């Protein structure tokens, strides 16, 4: 927006004009609290101005923390005191004070997202809540994060190849397939290094349901407090690797029942074999020889069993850009834009809104006659892909309008989006629409007056977003009738392909943490 048009772009926290600054530097932290391990990554981000939006031009890792086995209390909830002490120590080792952090991402996976842990984890970051994007990573999202964080998506562009990333963690394995920088297939299965864990004497300390399933499948007796038969345990690990390879290689209709029952998402389509395979997650440390120490789990054995089978399969094995830190390699970035002035907000008291997850559905908007059912289906698919389909939180729908804005086309679009967002709207949450053109006001008015939508409506334009972005929408600026928008994203390493940048992002601020922000 130009100054002549009456708008100026301000940082909402320090009231600096972005028009006068071509570059800003942010200190960022990513925190990954998982069912097996927890760790932090501190980064320095250099952002350069591109029109009204800042983009990441440089990312430097300042400090990678130690990796902590996620501590648990006797009731199997997160031991907040132990986790807090670990986090404090990592700040000290990095020589960084929490107050100096500009932005960050808190990624929660596995049991860390249980409601019993929400308050404890939220309290750890309460002082920085306004700076953090909080992300509850379901299976699909965690798989997506691993695909981009490991560098598989970037490699698929750089090498013009089909790249599969296998992220093997403590409880699950996430498999993603990338082509031309896009995630084209994904699944997840209950195969992980800590589905059975041991104490320092080799006695079984914990058995997950998947661990018991595999033990039963090979006839291994396994009990808490006992040392399992070594040969039987080895047979169990081999079976785990075998089932994982079946999930990775087999077409959906040919998958054995025992392997299909391990799936946490739909099976891979397996249209053709990948050209190359990379590994990430904790088990990857053993696959690439980074780690040899045992941590009381099946990691080392599982790594060798899986590696042997992938080598026999045929695709070349490459080293990822990130291994154990694939899901947290980028902390948050934020960029600030100001919307266009042709917007509609009713009632204005609905603002400000914080940490709103963004979806960018593949909307069929090119035809002269729009299909509202197809639009609704596209919105619902995007919500499901990002684990937002339960309607428990507000979601912003990003769209690119094409071409004309006739009454009929707007009516089909608005009704399609409202139908697609039914689960969200039924919970009384606002309808949030973000466009890149100058049609936001018309769309918002149509939703409220023609479609008789009872929910609050926030329809803004002049903003460019991507899936995995989060946005904060501030109160309306009196001088221009526009609103400031803070865009927060998870930042992943840029590819070395000429002219291409991989900015992958996260999503899903669940009410896990009871809205720490």
């Amino acid at each position: 927006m130009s100054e002549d048009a009456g708008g100026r772009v301000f940082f909402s926290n320090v009231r600096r004009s972005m028009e006068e600054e071509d570059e800003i530097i942010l200190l960022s932290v990513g925190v990954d609290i998982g069912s097996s391990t927890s760790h932090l990554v501190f980064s320095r981000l250099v952002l350069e101005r591109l029109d009204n939006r800042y983009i990441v031009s440089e990312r430097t890792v300042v400090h990678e923390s130690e990796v902590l086995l996620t501590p648990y209390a006797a009731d199997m909830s997160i031991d907040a005191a132990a986790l807090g002490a670990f986090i404090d120590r990592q700040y000290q080792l990095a020589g960084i004070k929490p107050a100096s952090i500009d932005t960050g991402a808190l990624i929660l996976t596995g049991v860390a997202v249980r409601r019993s842990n929400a308050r404890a984890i939220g309290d750890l970051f309460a002082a920085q809540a306004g700076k953090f994007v909080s992300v509850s990573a379901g299976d699909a999202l965690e798989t997506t994060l691993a695909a981009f964080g490991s560098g598989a998506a970037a490699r698929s562009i750089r090498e013009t190849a089909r790249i599969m990333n296998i992220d093997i963690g403590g409880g699950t394995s996430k498999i993603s397939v990338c082509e031309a920088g896009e995630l084209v297939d994904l699944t997840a299965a209950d195969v992980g290094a800590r589905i059975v864990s041991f104490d320092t004497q080799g006695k079984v300390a914990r058995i997950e349901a998947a661990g018991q399933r595999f033990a039963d499948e090979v006839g291994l007796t396994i009990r808490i407090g006992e040392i399992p038969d070594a040969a039987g345990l080895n047979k169990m690990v081999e079976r785990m690797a075998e089932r994982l390879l079946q999930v990775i290689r087999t077409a959906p209709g040919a998958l054995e029942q025992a392997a299909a029952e391990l799936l946490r998402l739909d099976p891979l389509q397996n249209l053709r074999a990948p050209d190359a395979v990379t590994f990430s997650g904790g088990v990857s440390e053993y696959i690439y020889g980074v780690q040899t120490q045992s941590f009381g789990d099946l990691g080392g054995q599982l790594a060798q069993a899986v590696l042997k089978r992938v080598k026999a399969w045929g695709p070349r094995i490459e080293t990822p850009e990130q291994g154990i830190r694939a899901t947290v390699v980028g902390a948050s970035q934020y960029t600030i834009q100001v919307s266009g002035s042709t917007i509609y907000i009713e009632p204005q008291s609905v603002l400000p809104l914080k940490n709103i997850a963004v979806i960018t559905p593949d909307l069929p908007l090119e035809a002269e006659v729009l299909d509202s059912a197809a639009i609704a289906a596209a919105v619902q698919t995007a919500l499901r892909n990002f684990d937002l389909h339960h309607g428990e939180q507000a979601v912003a729908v990003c769209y690119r309008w094409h071409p004309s804005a006739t009454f009929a086309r707007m009516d089909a679009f608005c009704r399609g989006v409202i139908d697609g967002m039914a689960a969200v709207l039924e919970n009384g949450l606002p309808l949030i629409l973000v466009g890149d053109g100058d049609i936001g006001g018309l769309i918002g008015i149509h939703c409220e007056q023609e479609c008789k939508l009872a929910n609050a409506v926030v329809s803004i334009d002049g903003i460019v977003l991507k899936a995995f972005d989060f946005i904060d929408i501030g109160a309306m600026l009196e001088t221009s009738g526009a609103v400031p928008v803070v865009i927060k994203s998870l930042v992943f390493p840029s590819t070395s392909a000429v002219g291409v940048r991989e900015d992958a992002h996260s999503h899903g601020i669940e009410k896990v943490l009871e809205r720490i922000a």
Side-chain angles (χ1 to χ4, degrees), residues 353 355-361 379 382-383 386 388 393-399 417 421 424 430-435 458 460 465-473 485:
L353 293 168
N355 284 345
I356 304 300
V358 172
I359 59 170
T360 57
V379 171
L383 289 172
F386 297 144
L388 295 168
Q393 64 188 77
V395 178
V397 180
C398 183
Y399 65 94
V417 171
M421 293 290 287
V424 173
L431 176 66
I432 305 171
L433 301 170
V434 183
V458 177
I460 63 176
L465 299 173
K466 298 183 290 294
F468 291 141
D469 278 341
F470 288 83
I471 57 174
D472 293 350
I473 305 176
V485 179

Side-chain angles (χ1 to χ4, degrees), residues 13 35 57 63 76 115 117 139 197 219 223 249 271 339 420 435 452 455 458 485 489 516:
N13 59 338
S35 56
S57 62
H63 178 75
M76 296 309 298
R115 294 188 186 278
N117 292 319
D139 294 313
S197 58
R223 297 189 183 94
R249 296 185 56 179
L271 299 178
S339 74
K452 308 300 182 185
N455 302 63
V458 177
V485 179
S489 311
I516 70 168

Side-chain angles (χ1 to χ4, degrees), residues 3 42 50 94 100 139 141 150 163 169 174 240 242 252 267 273 284 297 330 368 407 415 420-421 423 453:
E3 211 169 326
F42 297 88
L50 179 64
S100 66
D139 294 313
L141 175 59
S150 66
I163 307 297
K174 284 72 64 178
M240 291 165 61
E242 179 182 322
S284 72
D297 56 33
E368 185 58 36
F407 180 92
R415 295 184 188 280
M421 293 290 287
L453 182 65

Side-chain angles (χ1 to χ4, degrees), residues 424-495:
V424 173
L425 299 176
E426 286 169 1
N427 285 328
L429 296 167
L431 176 66
I432 305 171
L433 301 170
V434 183
D436 63 342
D438 58 357
I439 197 174
L442 291 175
I443 292 293
I445 291 171
H446 198 102
C447 288
E448 197 260 337
Q449 296 186 4
E450 300 295 335
C451 299
K452 308 300 182 185
L453 182 65
N455 302 63
V457 176
V458 177
S459 181
I460 63 176
D461 58 29
I463 300 291
V464 179
L465 299 173
K466 298 183 290 294
F468 291 141
D469 278 341
F470 288 83
I471 57 174
D472 293 350
I473 305 176
M476 188 174 290
L477 302 173
E478 294 182 2
T479 56
S480 65
V483 293
V485 179
V486 178
I487 303 171
K488 307 176 182 180
S489 311
L490 287 181
V491 180
F492 289 88
S494 54
T495 172

Side-chain angles (χ1 to χ4, degrees), residues 142-308:
E142 195 174 355
T143 305
T144 303
L145 289 173
F148 285 92
S150 66
R155 185 184 295 273
S156 71
I157 299 175
R158 191 167 59 243
E159 299 180 2
T160 316
R162 184 177 175 90
I163 307 297
M164 174 180 284
N165 185 67
I166 305 171
D167 186 279
I168 310 176
T172 59
S173 293
K174 284 72 64 178
I175 302 99
S176 53
V177 180
C178 299
E179 289 189 72
E182 299 292 334
L183 183 59
V184 297
D185 206 0
L186 63 84
T187 194
D190 282 322
V191 178
R194 296 187 72 81
I195 57 175
V196 178
S197 58
F198 310 90
D199 63 18
T200 55
Q201 296 177 312
K203 297 178 181 179
V204 176
R206 194 169 71 183
I207 308 170
E208 302 293 345
Q212 190 64 59
R213 174 196 290 269
F214 279 114
D216 293 343
E217 191 173 338
V218 299
L220 172 65
T221 300
I222 188 166
R223 297 189 183 94
I224 300 290
E226 296 183 3
I227 299 175
D229 174 68
L233 192 62
N234 185 67
K235 187 176 180 181
M236 172 182 156
V237 172
E238 292 292 327
R239 182 60 57 86
M240 291 165 61
E242 179 182 322
R243 294 295 184 215
L244 181 58
L245 263 291
Q246 289 175 6
V247 167
I248 289 169
R249 296 185 56 179
T250 311
L255 200 59
E256 289 185 28
Q257 183 65 24
E261 289 175 353
L262 296 170
L263 292 176
R264 301 173 64 89
L265 299 170
D266 291 340
L268 294 177
Q269 293 304 303
N270 282 315
L271 299 178
R272 64 182 178 88
D275 300 302
V277 171
T278 59
F279 293 93
S280 61
V283 173
S284 72
E285 301 282 283
Y286 295 100
I287 288 176
Y288 296 106
V290 176
Q291 184 61 260
T292 57
Q293 180 183 349
S294 173
F295 292 94
D297 56 33
L298 306 173
Q301 291 173 270
L302 182 59
Q304 296 309 310
V306 171
L307 182 59
K308 176 178 64 177

